């Protein structure tokens, strides 16, 4: 079964990516992603929330808002797609995620595109 880890990080975590603690920050991620590599099917580290742009459609037309989308303690910092046999196994991987120490890691099953195609026909 495929799962997504939605990785939420604090503003301090985003700052650590580029600051004097960058090496320590990235080394913990290198170790984690190396351990998860055999199960990973995709993913990406996201740039800071201020670089994002949110698009929405309203009755008056297209609306574009500069990031961050929401003013919250944690912001989406990355996504990892991976295979696990059970939700418990996926949660075990989430527990090992460096972001779980300061932020939050959401585990969500992925709905295959083939199922979406079947539902639309």
């Amino acid at each position: 079964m495929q799962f997504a880890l939605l990785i939420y990080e604090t503003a301090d975590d985003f700052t650590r990516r580029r600051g004097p603690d960058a090496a320590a920050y990235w080394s913990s991620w290198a170790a984690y992603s190396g351990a998860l590599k055999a199960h990973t099917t995709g993913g990406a580290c996201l740039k800071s929330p201020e670089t994002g742009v949110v698009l929405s459609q309203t009755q008056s037309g297209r609306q574009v808002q500069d990031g961050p989308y929401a003013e919250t303690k944690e912001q989406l910092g990355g996504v990892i797609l991976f295979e696990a046999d059970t939700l418990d196994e996926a949660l075990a991987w989430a527990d090992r995620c460096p972001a779980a120490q300061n932020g939050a890691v959401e585990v969500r099953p992925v709905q295959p595109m083939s199922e979406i195609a079947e539902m639309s026909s």
Side-chain angles (χ1 to χ4, degrees):
M1 178 176 231
Q2 191 173 52
F3 290 90
L5 294 180
L6 304 173
I7 299 159
Y8 295 92
E9 297 182 283
T10 66
D12 288 343
D13 290 329
F14 281 100
T15 300
R16 286 185 16 212
R17 291 178 178 192
R18 297 176 310 278
D21 296 330
Y25 173 90
W26 290 114
S27 69
S28 66
W29 278 101
Y32 178 69
S33 60
L36 185 58
K37 185 177 182 176
H39 305 279
T40 303
T41 59
C45 177
L46 303 176
K47 292 188 176 188
S48 65
E50 297 78 25
T51 65
V53 178
V54 178
L55 174 101
S56 59
Q57 296 287 343
T58 66
Q59 289 182 355
S60 60
R62 179 176 131 168
Q63 300 292 316
V64 178
Q65 172 187 333
D66 290 338
Y69 177 65
E71 295 293 334
T72 60
K73 182 180 174 193
E74 291 99 11
Q75 292 283 343
L76 186 60
V79 177
I80 299 172
L81 299 174
F82 71 106
E83 297 285 339
D85 291 331
T86 65
L87 177 59
D88 285 339
E89 182 184 348
L91 287 169
W93 281 109
D95 191 45
R96 294 174 61 181
C97 181
Q101 302 301 313
N102 299 321
V105 181
E106 180 180 352
V107 177
R108 194 180 302 181
V110 173
Q111 186 164 6
M113 292 302 290
S114 59
E115 289 180 12
I116 294 169
E118 289 172 13
M119 288 187 282
S120 66
S121 51

